[in-house]
């Protein structure tokens, strides 16, 4: 039978729940545990080297703020013998972030194909234990210039950070948020993310048509996007470089949006109706026309590059979608350009295809070099 000397007892500070990183507004309890038999203790606390907390074995921080960040340690003082104290515990660091977190939602795939399911993933910054997830469908709300959110079936407080949707057939938007703790603390809603339907596999109540009807457009073209369906009110949306944009129509007449294209108009486009419908979606690619047209009689060399690296062999070259060179050479040389060489050129390498480039032919002159760089690696 042995008595542990007081000054050898080491209290332990624990956080309950056990999260060392929390957000402003969350509730957490800092607890001092002393394993020293039946002894009754008074508690001394030190937070950021300042002794100011009450004489209790636990300290509940309700609606934390950044002033609660810091190092916490405690020691015990015997109630019956006030000069007998334990050692100081090790410090426990609590960090309270000022900003409300906004989770990032990813949706895959981006484009629907028949029978494929859609997987949503919700990622919280500073991930730590204890989040549950809420999953919503985004419903276009034209009066609010945004979306309203409808909880998906079984989408309330899931333990998993992913959610799978089966049988999705039309363009849809999704949003997530996370929550944890008691009382429950909620993050902001994520930005909406989308899965697009080109509309070729199902009949949709709304669709988007592009005129002129081609994949590729050139800067300063005039392109019109028409929202079709039995709805009176529309807006056109664009998603580009991971961001959602409102319509960039310079004029919206009825359900038709007119754009004078610039390179920044490249993106995925769709319509949203006043009654909350999404239309089919289209890719629009805008590229600049070469500033200097090629002169008749000139020699032209067309090459193909992957990002910044030039490809030196086994490139297939196409003129107006017709294969014109499929050997081991990496370049297409035209020694004397004629008017019939005008048109769209693209290249293909290792199963991947560049965007089309337009070559125009004028008057007469010398040496020209043209480069493709439309590859997506
Ligand atoms: C608390 O969390 C930390 C780090 O996540 C872990 O090392 C520790 O064992 C946890 N403590 C308890 C009591 O669960
Ligand atoms: C749109 O472009 C993406 C990426 O280039 C592609 O995966 C997708 O199939 C295209 N969709 C349509 C309908 O062309
Ligand atoms: C269009 O919608 C209106 C009102 O919802 C409905 O009365 C009408 O029958 C619809 N027309 C067509 C062609 O679907």
């Amino acid at each position: 039978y042995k008595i542990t000397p007081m000054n050898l007892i080491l209290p332990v500070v624990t956080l309950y729940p056990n999260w060392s990183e929390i957000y402003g507004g969350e509730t957490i309890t800092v607890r001092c545990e002393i394993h020293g038999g039946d002894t009754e203790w008074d508690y001394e606390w030190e937070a950021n080297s300042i002794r100011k907390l009450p004489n209790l074995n636990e300290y509940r921080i309700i609606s934390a703020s950044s002033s609660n960040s810091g190092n916490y340690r405690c020691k015990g003082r015997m109630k019956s013998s006030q000069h007998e104290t334990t050692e100081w515990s090790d410090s426990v660091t609590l960090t309270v972030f000022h900003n409300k977190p906004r989770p990032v939602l990813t949706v895959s795939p981006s484009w629907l194909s028949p029978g494929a399911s859609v997987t949503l993933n919700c990622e919280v910054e500073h991930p730590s234990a204890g989040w549950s997830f809420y999953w919503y469908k985004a419903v276009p709300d034209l009066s609010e210039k945004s979306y309203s959110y409808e909880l998906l079936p079984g989408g309330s407080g899931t333990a998993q950070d992913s959610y799978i949707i089966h049988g999705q057939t039309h363009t849809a938007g999704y949003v997530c948020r996370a929550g944890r703790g008691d009382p429950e603390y909620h993050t902001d809603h994520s930005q909406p993310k989308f899965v697009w339907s080109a509309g070729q596999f199902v009949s949709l109540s709304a669709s988007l048509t592009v005129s002129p009807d081609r994949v590729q457009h050139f800067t300063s073209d005039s392109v019109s996007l028409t929202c079709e369906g039995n709805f009176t009110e529309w807006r056109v949306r664009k998603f580009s470089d991971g961001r959602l944009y409102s319509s960039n129509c310079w004029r919206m007449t009825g359900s038709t949006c007119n754009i004078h294209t610039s390179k920044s108009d490249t993106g995925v486009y769709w319509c949203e109706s006043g009654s909350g419908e999404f239309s089919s979606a289209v890719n629009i690619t805008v590229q600049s026309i070469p500033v200097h047209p090629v002169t008749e009689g000139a020699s032209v060399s067309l090459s193909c590059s992957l990002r910044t690296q030039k490809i030196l062999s086994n490139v297939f070259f196409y003129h107006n979608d017709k294969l014109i060179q499929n050997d081991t050479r990496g370049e297409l040389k035209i020694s004397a350009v004629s008017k019939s060489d005008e048109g769209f050129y693209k290249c293909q390498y290792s199963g991947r295809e560049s965007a089309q480039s337009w070559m125009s032919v004028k008057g007469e002159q010398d040496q020209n070099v043209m480069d493709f760089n439309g590859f997506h690696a």
Side-chain angles (χ1 to χ4, degrees):
Y1 178 70
K2 221 168 100 191
I3 297 172
T4 313
M6 287 296 130
N7 62 8
L8 291 185
I9 294 178
L10 192 63
V12 175
V13 173
T14 56
L15 298 173
Y16 184 80
N18 183 18
W19 305 325
S20 57
E21 296 182 337
I22 61 172
Y23 294 93
E26 288 199 89
T27 294
I28 198 165
T29 300
V30 187
R31 192 173 282 167
C32 184
E33 285 171 7
I34 304 177
H35 300 287
D38 293 335
T39 317
E40 285 194 65
W41 302 99
D42 283 330
Y43 294 84
E44 269 178 47
W45 285 95
E46 200 182 84
N48 293 332
S49 312
I50 299 166
R51 292 187 200 194
K52 61 176 178 189
L53 302 184
N55 167 20
L56 291 169
N57 74 325
E58 62 176 40
Y59 174 55
R60 189 165 157 86
I61 301 171
I62 294 167
S63 191
S65 69
S66 47
S67 67
N68 298 117
S69 286
N71 300 313
Y72 290 79
R73 61 178 191 161
C74 69
K75 74 178 175 185
R77 185 179 295 281
M78 270 180 81
K79 269 200 193 301
S80 57
S81 173
Q82 286 283 306
H83 64 274
E84 299 257 36
T85 67
T86 68
E87 281 290 278
W88 280 106
S89 70
D90 288 336
S91 289
V92 161
T93 304
L94 177 68
T95 304
V96 184
F97 296 112
H98 179 64
N99 293 327
K100 207 176 169 93
R102 165 167 282 197
V104 173
L105 178 67
T106 51
V107 174
S108 81
S110 296
W111 289 86
L112 285 168
S113 54
S117 51
V118 178
T119 302
L120 312 183
N121 266 283
C122 195
E123 197 181 310
V124 190
E125 14 167 1
H126 308 298
S128 42
W131 293 108
S132 51
F133 296 89
Y134 296 80
W135 308 92
Y136 305 87
K137 193 166 88 171
V139 180
D141 183 340
L142 269 54
S143 60
E144 288 294 311
K145 295 195 181 340
S146 69
Y147 297 91
S148 58
Y149 308 132
E150 273 177 21
L151 208 54
L152 286 164
S156 179
T158 66
Q160 293 78 32
D161 60 1
S162 65
Y163 183 98
I164 296 177
I165 297 158
H166 300 284
Q168 184 66 36
T169 54
H170 57 273
T171 302
Y174 301 101
V175 163
C176 73
R177 71 169 173 167
R180 68 175 183 181
D182 182 19
E184 191 164 23
Y185 167 87
H186 291 282
T187 67
D188 279 338
H189 289 94
S190 69
Q191 298 284 4
K193 288 289 167 63
F194 303 89
V195 59
W196 298 294
S197 166
Q200 74 269 52
F201 307 116
V202 283
S203 79
L204 301 173
S205 57
S207 59
L208 172 61
T209 58
V210 181
S211 167
D213 181 16
R214 57 174 189 233
V215 176
Q216 194 134 35
H217 300 269
F218 297 108
T219 47
S220 305
D221 271 0
S222 180
V223 174
S224 48
L225 309 174
T226 303
C227 303
E228 292 172 346
N230 190 16
F231 305 101
T232 49
E233 218 188 330
W234 294 101
R235 71 176 168 209
V236 176
R237 289 289 209 184
K238 176 179 80 159
F239 193 86
S240 166
D241 292 331
R243 287 187 57 192
L244 176 68
Y245 295 88
S246 319
S247 105
N248 45 342
C249 317
W250 67 273
R251 206 175 65 203
M252 183 101 188
T253 33
S255 58
T256 298
C257 157
N258 294 296
I259 303 175
H260 284 312
T261 51
S262 72
K263 270 193 156 172
S264 67
D265 290 324
T266 294
V268 181
Y269 287 77
W270 68 95
C271 303
E272 294 172 356
S273 82
S275 49
E277 314 279 325
F278 288 93
S279 75
S280 54
V282 296
N283 282 324
I284 290 181
T285 305
V286 180
Q287 75 173 38
S288 39
I289 300 175
V291 184
H292 303 293
V294 178
T295 316
E296 232 172 352
S299 86
V300 174
S301 167
L302 292 86
S303 67
C304 201
S305 53
L306 197 59
R307 293 260 162 89
T308 52
Q309 171 203 350
K310 218 169 200 179
I311 306 160
L312 299 171
S313 63
N314 295 318
V315 180
F316 292 8
F317 288 93
Y318 294 83
H319 177 218
N320 293 335
D321 287 323
K322 213 176 98 207
L323 184 61
I324 53 165
Q325 181 173 302
N326 66 342
D327 53 31
T328 56
R329 283 173 292 170
E331 277 188 328
L332 174 66
K333 286 205 162 89
I334 306 172
S335 52
V337 169
S338 71
K339 195 71 187 168
S340 65
D341 294 320
E342 188 167 88
F344 287 105
Y345 287 85
K346 69 180 175 189
C347 62
Q348 207 181 54
Y349 174 72
S350 183
R352 286 181 295 193
E353 205 172 85
S354 72
Q356 306 224 51
S357 291
W358 173 259
M359 183 171 85
S360 62
V361 178
K362 287 234 171 89
E364 53 186 57
Q365 237 229 133
D366 42 25
Q367 176 84 20
N368 292 276
V369 173
M370 186 169 164
D371 236 318
F372 297 99
N373 50 17
F375 266 157
H376 299 285

